[in-house]
Amino acid sequence: MFQFMTSTRIIFGEGALERSLSVLNQFGYSVLLVSGKNLQRSALVIDYLNHQNMRYQHVAIRGEPNITMVEEVALVGRKFKPDMVVAIGGGSVLDMGKALAAVIPNQGDVYDYVEVVGRNVPLKAKPIPFIAIPTTASTGSEVTRNAVLRSGQDRVKVSLRSPEMLADVAIVDPRLTYGTDTQTSARGAMDAFTHLMEAYVCGEPNPLTDMICEEGLRKLSGAIIKGCLEDDPQARSDLSFAAMLGGMAMTNAKLGAAHGLASALGGKLHAPHSIITAQLAPYVMQENIRAATLAGRDDILNRYEKLAQILTGRVNAHRDDGILWVNMMLDKLPLPKLNSFGVCSTSFESVAQDALKSVAIKGNPIPLTIQRLMYILDQVCQCDGECQQGEQLESSSKADIIHQGYRQDEGRLQSSE
C-alpha cells in the first residue's frame, strides 16, 4: 500500500507563466508576493497585478530563509491579510513563500510547527492559497509539502512540513531558467539529482515514485551538461521537468544520509544546501553500497546497479559506475568543494549526531552508524591544512518589504524600502 500527493494543479511548458497568470484571480484580490533579489524575474507577475488593479505587498529575500525571517515577515503579512501567497524564484524563495502561507493563518511562533528543534505541532488552520513559480531547475519545491528553514539558534536546517502545504498551483515555465549562470544551474541540477537518486534507492520506495525517479534521472543525465554549460533550451526544459519530478519523488518516498548530513551541516556552514548534498552524494552512495554488500542486501545493490545503468545509458553498467558518473559531473560543473566553506573545522561527531536526529536520514536504504557517518564526512573533507573558514556564496539571509501595490480604497501606497 502507498499514497501519492502533489500540488493540486501543475502547469508546465514554455511560456506557461504568461498564459496562466489569470489563475490568480480565482483565489482573491490581495497578494503577498515573494521573490528573490533579482526583481526582473518577478516583473511579469507585478505587471499583471498592476494591470488587474490587485492589491499586493512585495517581499524580496536574500539567501536561504531562516525561522526568524519567517516570523518577522509573517507579522507584516497578518496585518496585510493576503488572499494568497505567490512565490517566484529559486527553491529558497518558494520555501519562504510556502512557510508564510502556512504560518500567517496559524497562531504561535514557527518553532511550534517545525521538526527536530521545535514542537512539531500540526497546523491548526489551513494555509493561505499558495502559487509556486520556480525560476531555477533545482529543489522541486513547487510540488513538495515542506519548507526548509535555517534555525540560527540551533545551527541546523529543519523542515516545516504538512500535506496542507502543497501548492494550490505550480507554474513551471522553463523559459524562466534561460540565461541562469552556470554555477546556479549546476547547483540546481545536482540538487535535483540527489532528490531523484536518494528517493530511488531509499528504504521505502513505491512503484509510482520508481517510475518518476527513473524518468527524472534519464531526463537529467541527458541534459545536465548542455543545460548548465550551454544554456540549451531543450536541455533547460528537461532539467525543469526532472527537478519537478525530484520534488514529487521525495514527497512520496524517502531520502537518505546525504540529506540527513546536509541538514546538520547546513546550519553550521555558510554553504548552500544544494552544494552540500551534491558533494556528499558520491561518498554516501559508496558507503551504502559497502554496507549493503556486507549485509548481503542484494535488493539495495540491484537498485544502485539500475541507477548506474540509467545515468550512464549502458545496460552493462556496474553499480560503482553510478558513483563515477556523479564524480564526473562534479568535476565538469563549476561547484566548489566543501572544504572551501570550512567543513574541516566542524565537529564531525556533532554533525553525525545531529544527522541521526533528522527526518531525512530515516529513509536511508540501510542504517549507518555514527562512526560510518563520521567516516563519510572525513572522506569529503580531505583537509590538507589549507581549508578556509567559509566562503559565503550568498548574502546573509534577509527579507525586505520593498513595495506595496495598488489598494483600491487608498490608491498607490508608498514604498517602504
Side-chain angles (χ1 to χ4, degrees):
M1 186 180 73
F2 67 90
Q3 60 178 336
F4 188 88
M5 62 185 78
T6 191
S7 298
T8 303
R9 182 178 180 186
I10 298 170
I11 306 171
F12 183 97
E14 306 284 336
L17 178 59
E18 189 172 7
R19 298 173 189 171
S20 306
L21 281 171
S22 59
V23 301
L24 303 185
N25 298 73
Q26 66 187 264
F27 296 104
Y29 172 69
S30 61
V31 177
L32 177 60
L33 176 64
V34 184
S35 76
K37 57 187 177 182
N38 183 353
L39 302 184
Q40 291 182 337
R41 297 285 191 184
S42 55
L44 192 62
V45 178
I46 292 173
D47 287 347
Y48 180 82
L49 297 177
N50 286 327
H51 184 263
Q52 294 289 310
N53 289 332
M54 296 177 77
R55 172 178 174 261
Y56 69 93
Q57 190 166 61
H58 190 173
V59 179
I61 74 164
R62 305 172 188 176
E64 297 180 327
N66 59 56
I67 290 175
T68 300
M69 183 198 301
V70 173
E71 290 179 335
E72 290 175 351
V73 179
L75 288 174
V76 177
R78 290 187 183 110
K79 294 178 181 177
F80 181 67
K81 297 181 180 178
D83 295 322
M84 73 197 86
V85 175
V86 177
I88 177 167
S92 294
V93 172
L94 300 191
D95 280 355
M96 179 70 171
K98 197 183 308 182
L100 289 170
V103 170
I104 286 173
N106 282 277
Q107 300 299 314
D109 59 39
V110 178
Y111 280 101
D112 288 334
Y113 306 106
V114 296
E115 301 169 341
V116 182
V117 300
R119 295 173 58 205
N120 199 21
V121 174
L123 297 175
K124 298 180 178 65
K126 184 178 176 63
I128 298 169
F130 175 58
I131 295 86
I133 309 168
T135 60
T136 60
S138 55
T139 67
S141 183
E142 64 272 16
V143 292
T144 65
R145 56 175 173 162
N146 69 299
V148 178
L149 307 173
R150 182 192 296 269
S151 172
Q153 66 185 40
D154 302 289
R155 301 186 67 202
V156 69
K157 287 184 181 177
V158 295
S159 280
L160 172 61
R161 188 188 310 269
S162 169
E164 300 281 355
M165 290 172 60
L166 287 160
D168 294 270
V169 182
I171 303 174
V172 186
D173 187 342
R175 285 186 184 177
L176 298 176
T177 70
Y178 289 5
T180 305
D181 66 90
T182 54
Q183 188 175 91
T184 301
S185 300
R187 285 164 48 190
M190 290 306 296
D191 198 22
F193 165 74
T194 56
H195 293 159
L196 291 162
M197 179 271 291
E198 290 212 307
Y200 189 59
V201 301
C202 78
E204 296 184 35
N206 65 64
L208 192 49
T209 57
D210 281 352
M211 290 167 47
I212 287 171
C213 289
E214 289 177 8
E215 180 62 15
L217 289 163
R218 285 192 193 96
K219 292 283 190 185
L220 184 140
S221 61
I224 188 168
I225 296 300
K226 293 187 72 175
C228 295
L229 302 185
E230 302 173 22
D231 201 24
D232 177 80
Q234 182 57 55
R236 288 285 194 190
S237 182
D238 287 345
L239 289 178
S240 290
F241 191 64
M244 183 183 71
L245 295 185
M248 290 181 182
M250 70 174 179
T251 295
N252 294 283
K254 299 289 183 181
L255 290 171
H259 279 84
L261 287 167
S263 68
L265 273 175
K268 297 174 175 61
L269 304 178
H270 289 296
H273 171 81
S274 52
I275 289 178
I276 300 176
T277 54
Q279 297 292 357
L280 285 169
Y283 300 98
V284 170
M285 292 167 68
Q286 190 172 51
E287 187 60 27
N288 282 341
I289 290 172
R290 185 205 67 84
T293 302
L294 291 175
R297 291 289 303 274
D298 289 340
D299 57 329
I300 297 174
L301 298 176
N302 290 339
R303 286 259 166 182
Y304 277 104
E305 186 162 301
K306 179 65 174 177
L307 173 69
Q309 292 168 357
I310 295 171
L311 293 174
T312 63
R314 293 190 287 108
V315 294
N316 62 342
H318 185 267
R319 53 183 173 265
D320 289 337
D321 292 337
I323 300 172
L324 294 174
W325 183 91
V326 178
N327 283 322
M328 183 172 66
M329 292 302 107
L330 292 175
D331 287 339
K332 289 186 175 183
L333 298 171
L335 294 175
K337 301 295 184 182
L338 285 186
N339 56 9
S340 68
F341 298 97
V343 67
C344 302
S345 64
T346 61
S347 167
F348 288 169
E349 183 174 4
S350 172
V351 171
Q353 288 173 342
D354 286 344
L356 287 174
K357 299 173 188 175
S358 72
V359 174
I361 205 167
K362 293 175 173 58
N364 204 59
I366 192 165
L368 297 178
T369 64
I370 191 170
Q371 289 76 20
R372 300 319 300 176
L373 294 175
M374 291 171 64
Y375 175 76
I376 291 170
L377 293 167
D378 187 61
Q379 292 293 299
V380 174
C381 181
Q382 300 177 355
C383 186
D384 58 4
E386 297 180 356
C387 295
Q388 301 173 20
Q389 289 305 304
E391 171 191 338
Q392 194 166 350
L393 278 191
E394 302 193 33
S395 59
S396 59
S397 297
K398 186 180 179 183
D400 297 319
I401 309 299
I402 62 168
H403 189 261
Q404 289 182 320
Y406 190 85
R407 183 178 300 197
Q408 193 172 39
D409 57 338
E410 295 179 334
R412 179 72 61 183
L413 292 174
Q414 296 297 312
S415 168
S416 60
E417 190 176 26

